[in-house]
Amino acid sequence: MALSSDYPRFTLGSALTAEQKAFFAKYGFLHFRPFASPEVVRQILSATQEVQASWLAAGVEKVNGVPIKYGHDVDGSPIVQRFAFASQHHPVLHELLQDERFKALFPLLEAEGGRVGENEKDGLVVNHYVNVEGSEFSQMGWHTDSLRDVFYGKRIGPMLNVGLHLDGTKATNGGLRIIPSTHRQGLHKMLFRKKYYKDVFYDPNEIAIETEPGDLTVHDGRMWHRVAQSPLTGAASRRRVMYVPIIAGKYQPKSEASPTPFYLRFLHLVK
């Protein structure tokens, strides 16, 4: 039986339950509610605004080799629409990643050495989607997160993409879409099932992930997913979500000397 959008929302404790592990093994994702309280969400949003003000003032173009994506808000003012390594630039965001509950997710990697990738890949990424004229980030086409390993000729490593949703998003306002169970697909389908990032269209097998502020989602890096554009415009279309990878294997931190990863040289095409 196909999974529908009324799938179960779980609570994340100090360890995953047998039901949660079985659900992830079958479908490739988990949805926890709530993870962060309204007050914590407000603190996070305030922290990202402080980082944004600092980067705008300094004209920051890249952080640890990762390009920063700028755009415009509903009033035409400049904003950061994709942050990278944000937790390295504010104590509130750094402290968030120290939450012991993240460790409960490590067994999903089925590998030794699980950790929160605060200083690896793109670190803590904050995406700010808004559908207005001048916005450079209102949607993201179909992709998997494991493609980067293929780009570098590496064996696909275990990875979870963990998202903390800072705004409530109904299916009617765009947002995250996933194709359940595609984490179990073969390499050929992972590479060629969709045109990476260019394909932004509805898939009959997709389900919408409807979120409330403070929800946490976790999906396998091999899973096909996209961010649908909101049919609304202006402030009503605003969606903010932060992602951090949970990974295993060799520790590979980034620094200011790190080159821009090849796949991120096309970030400007994502609008």
Side-chain angles (χ1 to χ4, degrees), residues 31-51:
H31 187 163
F32 298 103
R33 174 179 293 167
F35 179 84
S37 69
E39 176 57 28
V40 169
V41 170
R42 285 192 290 270
Q43 291 173 0
I44 292 169
L45 288 172
S46 178
T48 61
Q49 289 167 357
E50 290 177 19
V51 176

Side-chain angles (χ1 to χ4, degrees), residues 68-88:
I68 304 306
K69 195 173 185 68
Y70 292 90
H72 292 88
D73 208 340
V74 295
D75 60 358
S77 61
I79 56 172
V80 177
Q81 294 204 260
R82 187 181 191 272
F83 300 71
F85 296 100
S87 67
Q88 295 182 359

Side-chain angles (χ1 to χ4, degrees), residues 19-242:
E19 180 187 10
Q20 291 166 356
K21 292 177 181 178
F23 187 93
F24 184 86
K26 184 173 183 179
Y27 297 113
F29 79 102
L30 289 166
H31 187 163
F32 298 103
R33 174 179 293 167
F35 179 84
S37 69
E39 176 57 28
V40 169
V41 170
R42 285 192 290 270
Q43 291 173 0
I44 292 169
L45 288 172
S46 178
T48 61
Q49 289 167 357
E50 290 177 19
V51 176
Q52 173 177 275
S54 174
W55 288 2
L56 285 169
V60 175
E61 296 182 357
K62 295 181 181 180
V63 176
N64 296 340
V66 178
I68 304 306
K69 195 173 185 68
Y70 292 90
H72 292 88
D73 208 340
V74 295
D75 60 358
S77 61
I79 56 172
V80 177
Q81 294 204 260
R82 187 181 191 272
F83 300 71
F85 296 100
S87 67
Q88 295 182 359
H89 297 266
H90 201 286
V92 167
L93 304 180
H94 171 72
E95 185 62 28
L96 170 69
L97 300 187
Q98 313 314 308
D99 193 305
E100 289 292 316
R101 289 175 292 176
F102 286 121
K103 294 180 179 179
L105 303 173
F106 293 176
L108 297 177
L109 293 169
E110 298 183 341
E112 296 294 327
R115 60 190 179 274
V116 176
E118 181 174 14
N119 304 312
E120 300 173 84
K121 297 187 182 293
D122 295 354
L124 179 66
V125 170
V126 184
N127 291 331
H128 184 170
Y129 299 96
V130 61
N131 191 17
V132 295
E133 184 176 355
S135 171
E136 291 292 319
F137 214 27
S138 63
Q139 64 181 329
M140 185 176 290
W142 286 107
H143 64 285
T144 74
D145 300 315
S146 294
L147 181 67
R148 65 188 69 189
D149 289 341
V150 177
F151 261 124
Y152 292 104
K154 299 178 181 178
R155 182 179 180 180
I156 295 174
M159 174 190 171
L160 307 174
N161 208 354
V162 180
L164 178 58
H165 301 261
L166 305 175
D167 293 291
T169 302
K170 297 293 186 183
T172 52
N173 194 23
L176 181 61
R177 304 290 194 266
I178 66 170
I179 304 180
S181 302
T182 49
H183 66 303
R184 299 187 295 177
Q185 67 195 336
L187 180 61
H188 186 270
K189 285 189 175 181
M190 197 195 84
L191 293 176
F192 301 112
R193 178 170 183 154
K194 303 281 187 184
K195 292 182 179 178
Y196 271 78
Y197 298 109
K198 289 187 176 181
D199 186 348
V200 298
F201 305 108
Y202 170 79
D203 186 292
N205 297 305
E206 73 177 45
I207 65 170
I209 306 298
E210 294 190 314
T211 60
E212 296 178 359
D215 282 8
L216 194 81
T217 58
V218 183
H219 67 258
D220 190 295
R222 297 166 293 181
M223 171 177 282
W224 280 101
H225 60 288
R226 70 181 176 112
V227 178
Q229 185 179 57
S230 173
L232 307 176
T233 58
S237 70
R238 191 183 314 280
R239 288 165 289 130
R240 292 160 293 188
V241 58
M242 52 198 345

